[in-house]
């Protein structure tokens, strides 16, 4: 395989990953962050990018080391817990949360600003997920469709808006930020985009396409995915920086009460008028459609694998599209309310296992994985219940709680205890 062909494939995969990551939440959060951070917009952007693109890249590398196999990534906590956790992760970025959010955001940010509420959301989401089905039903073509056709148009559309806003700023940032701990807020919003889960979800699709393109050696596959992941994350960083800056330029116009999903709509209208609305509608629709395509394909592959191929990939695609279309009618705000408690519990053990995969050759004891992941679930569950169960309130005073990582120190301690427990068990057995 020539270097030229390899470089082309790397950029194609990089663009595809960018498109799969960049969806509804990625459009909504950065401009609003810019408003509330004001003069410290870059600090907020850095926190957001670290928690979003940084964790996503880490997950891409981890899933590459596991050859795209989710069960290999989670398997050392036990078969049943691994199935439950992987299922929860895939459902979050699948038909339960992220995929429906792409349809709902297309309606609220792409359609409503132009047509108003005269066009019912049901009609829009049916059309949206019909397109998703058509473009997803052949998995080997997903990466090419997304990477070579849709993503470049998406980048151009967003670039027009950002460049216009940089060349002709709408105003100057406020004198002071509207919130304290700007970097923390950026981290928390980045944490909620779920792009870390996206990396896990699309692993099998990426590996399938790599194999079809002739990349069959594990080292070669890992190399391509790492380079593609870097390209995707650099692209995300550039777009996030531009969108956050645009938000800061209207921080004297809006305050914290502004509806997040309307910020970029309003900015675009001020920059480009009614033409801007059309450009944004296209950009939002493409961002959401490309994400929907990638995640529907990944979810269908996973569900088909889980059924041991008793349910075909095509039938799984159809199920995901129908379920997501129904859920999308709840609207963005309804989906966000459902997402928060689920993510509070599911995200920590996923991050723990992603980090541990880089030490899988050195850590021989499965107890380390079980203790660490188990503790992260316990602390995150207590965090969720702490508002209703006062006895659990202590978890909000644990180290790193202000960053949303109050589970980290207890998890490390639990992992060490798992290592010690395994060692003592061996001693007892040998006695």
């Amino acid at each position: 395989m020539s270097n030229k062909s390899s470089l082309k494939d790397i950029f194609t995969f990089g663009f595809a990953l960018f498109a799969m990551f960049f969806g509804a939440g990625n459009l909504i959060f950065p401009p609003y962050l810019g408003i509330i951070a004001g003069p410290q917009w870059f600090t907020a952007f850095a926190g957001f990018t670290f928690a979003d693109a940084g964790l996503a890249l880490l997950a891409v590398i981890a899933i590459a080391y596991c050859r795209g196999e989710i069960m290999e990534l989670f398997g050392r906590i036990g078969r049943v817990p691994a199935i439950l956790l992987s299922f929860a992760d895939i459902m979050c970025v699948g038909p339960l949360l992220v995929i429906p959010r792409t349809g709902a955001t297309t309606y609220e940010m792409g359609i409503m600003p132009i047509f108003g509420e005269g066009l019912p959301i049901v009609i829009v989401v049916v059309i949206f997920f019909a397109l998703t089905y058509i473009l997803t039903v052949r998995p080997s073509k997903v990466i090419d469709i997304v990477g070579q056709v849709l993503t470049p148009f998406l980048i151009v559309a967003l670039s027009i808006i950002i460049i216009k806003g940089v060349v002709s700023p709408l105003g100057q940032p406020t004198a002071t930020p509207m919130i304290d701990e700007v970097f923390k807020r950026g981290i928390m919003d980045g944490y909620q985009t779920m792009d870390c889960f996206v990396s896990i979800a699309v692993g099998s699709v990426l590996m399938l396409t790599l194999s079809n393109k002739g990349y069959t050696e594990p080292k070669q596959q890992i190399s391509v995915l790492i380079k593609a992941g870097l390209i995707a994350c650099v692209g995300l960083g550039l777009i996030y920086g531009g969108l956050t800056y645009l938000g800061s330029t209207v921080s004297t116009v809006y305050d914290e009460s502004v509806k997040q999903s309307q910020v970029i709509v309003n900015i675009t209208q001020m920059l480009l008028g009614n033409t801007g609305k059309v450009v944004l509608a296209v950009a939002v629709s493409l961002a959401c459609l490309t994400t929907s395509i990638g995640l529907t394909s990944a979810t269908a592959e996973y569900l088909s694998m889980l059924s041991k191929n008793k349910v075909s990939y095509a039938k799984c695609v159809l199920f995901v599209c129908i379920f997501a279309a129904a859920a999308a009618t709840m609207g963005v705000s309804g989906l966000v309310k459902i997402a928060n408690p689920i993510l509070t519990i599911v995200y920590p053990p996923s991050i723990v296992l992603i980090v541990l995969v880089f030490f899988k050759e050195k850590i021989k004891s499965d107890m380390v994985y079980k203790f660490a992941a188990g503790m992260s679930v316990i602390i995150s569950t207590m965090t969720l219940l702490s508002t209703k169960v006062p006895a659990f309130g202590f978890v909000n005073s644990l180290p790193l709680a202000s960053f949303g990582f109050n589970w980290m120190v207890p998890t490390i301690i639990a992992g060490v205890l798992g290592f010690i427990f395994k060692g003592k068990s061996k001693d007892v057995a040998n006695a």
Side-chain angles (χ1 to χ4, degrees):
M1 185 173 293
S2 68
N3 291 331
K4 183 176 180 182
S5 176
S6 177
L7 186 63
K8 177 184 176 182
D9 289 337
I10 287 170
F11 273 93
T12 297
F13 275 83
F15 285 147
L17 278 172
F18 170 90
M20 290 176 184
F21 291 146
F22 198 89
N26 312 71
L27 274 170
I28 293 171
F29 289 122
Y32 182 77
L33 272 176
I35 288 177
I36 60 178
Q40 296 184 23
W41 67 268
F42 190 85
T43 302
F45 147 73
F48 183 86
T49 304
F50 170 78
D52 175 68
L55 283 178
L57 178 59
L58 190 68
V60 165
I61 299 172
I63 199 68
Y65 273 104
C66 295
R67 300 183 296 276
E69 297 293 334
I70 298 177
M71 292 306 293
E72 183 174 338
L73 181 64
F74 292 157
R76 292 185 67 174
I77 60 174
R79 185 175 180 276
V80 173
I83 290 175
L84 292 175
L85 182 58
S86 63
F87 183 80
D89 283 2
I90 296 299
M91 289 303 101
C92 282
V93 294
L96 186 61
L97 299 175
V98 175
I99 295 177
R101 193 170 68 183
T102 60
T105 302
T106 297
Y107 175 73
E108 293 183 17
M109 294 180 64
I111 304 301
M112 280 183 60
I114 299 175
F115 301 100
E117 298 183 6
L119 189 61
I121 187 173
V122 174
I123 295 176
V124 174
V125 298
V126 166
I127 295 173
F128 181 89
F129 286 108
L131 286 173
T132 297
Y133 175 80
I134 292 169
L135 294 172
T136 309
V137 75
R138 295 185 64 186
S140 63
K141 297 296 181 181
V142 170
I143 300 300
D144 286 338
I145 292 171
V146 174
Q148 295 179 3
V149 181
L150 298 179
T151 304
F153 192 84
L154 165 64
I155 294 173
V156 169
L158 290 173
S159 297
I160 290 172
I161 298 169
I162 291 171
I163 290 172
K164 174 65 175 176
V166 172
V167 174
S168 304
L170 293 170
Q172 295 297 318
T174 56
T176 58
M178 300 177 191
I179 58 171
D180 297 323
E181 299 178 308
V182 170
F183 186 74
K184 169 192 170 183
R185 178 56 183 265
I187 287 179
M188 296 306 295
D189 281 358
Y191 184 77
Q192 293 295 328
T193 60
M194 292 182 275
D195 283 340
C196 180
F197 292 171
V198 172
S199 297
I200 296 172
V202 301
S204 61
V205 176
L206 291 171
M207 288 301 183
L208 172 64
T209 310
L210 279 171
S211 297
N212 290 341
K213 285 184 173 293
Y215 296 95
T216 55
E217 297 180 6
K219 289 184 178 179
Q220 198 177 32
Q221 292 177 336
I222 291 172
S223 176
V224 171
L225 280 185
I226 290 175
K227 292 172 183 176
L230 286 170
I231 290 171
C233 290
V234 169
L236 287 172
L238 291 173
I239 297 296
Y240 292 157
L243 292 176
T244 309
Y245 171 74
L246 292 185
S248 73
T249 64
V250 294
S251 56
T252 57
V253 179
Y254 301 106
D255 58 23
E256 294 178 78
S257 64
V258 66
K259 189 176 180 180
Q260 292 190 33
S261 62
Q262 292 302 305
V263 172
I264 189 62
V265 174
N266 297 341
I267 289 175
T268 303
Q269 184 172 18
M270 287 187 282
L271 286 170
L272 301 172
N274 289 331
T275 301
K277 277 190 175 183
V278 176
V279 172
L280 181 65
V282 173
V284 168
S285 299
L286 287 175
C288 292
L289 182 60
T290 51
T291 300
S292 181
I293 291 169
L295 295 182
T296 298
S297 180
T299 304
E301 286 282 356
Y302 172 80
L303 292 176
S304 182
M305 178 273 294
L306 201 62
S307 72
K308 297 182 179 179
N309 297 318
K310 292 179 181 178
V311 182
S312 69
Y313 169 82
K315 288 180 180 178
C316 289
V317 170
L318 182 61
F319 162 76
V320 171
C321 289
I322 292 174
F323 190 98
T329 59
M330 296 172 59
V332 173
S333 59
L335 291 167
V336 169
K337 289 180 181 178
I338 295 175
N340 287 334
I342 297 174
L343 295 178
T344 298
I345 295 176
V346 174
Y347 223 125
S350 300
I351 295 176
V352 168
L353 295 175
I354 286 169
V355 172
L356 285 177
V357 79
F358 295 101
F359 304 96
K360 64 179 181 178
E361 300 300 329
K362 298 184 180 297
I363 301 176
K364 304 299 182 181
S365 171
D366 289 350
M367 298 305 292
V368 174
Y369 291 76
K370 293 176 180 178
F371 274 47
M375 179 57 73
S376 69
V377 171
I378 291 171
I379 297 298
S380 57
T381 301
M382 287 183 175
T383 301
L384 181 63
L385 297 175
S386 62
T387 56
K388 296 183 178 180
V389 183
F392 294 155
F394 74 93
V395 297
N396 297 312
S397 299
L398 292 172
L400 303 178
S402 60
F403 292 96
F405 295 106
N406 59 340
W407 48 268
M408 186 173 290
V409 172
T411 294
I412 293 172
I413 294 173
V416 173
L417 290 175
F419 178 79
I420 295 173
F421 178 81
K422 182 62 177 180
K424 287 187 175 181
S425 297
K426 286 184 177 179
D427 292 339
V428 171
N430 295 330

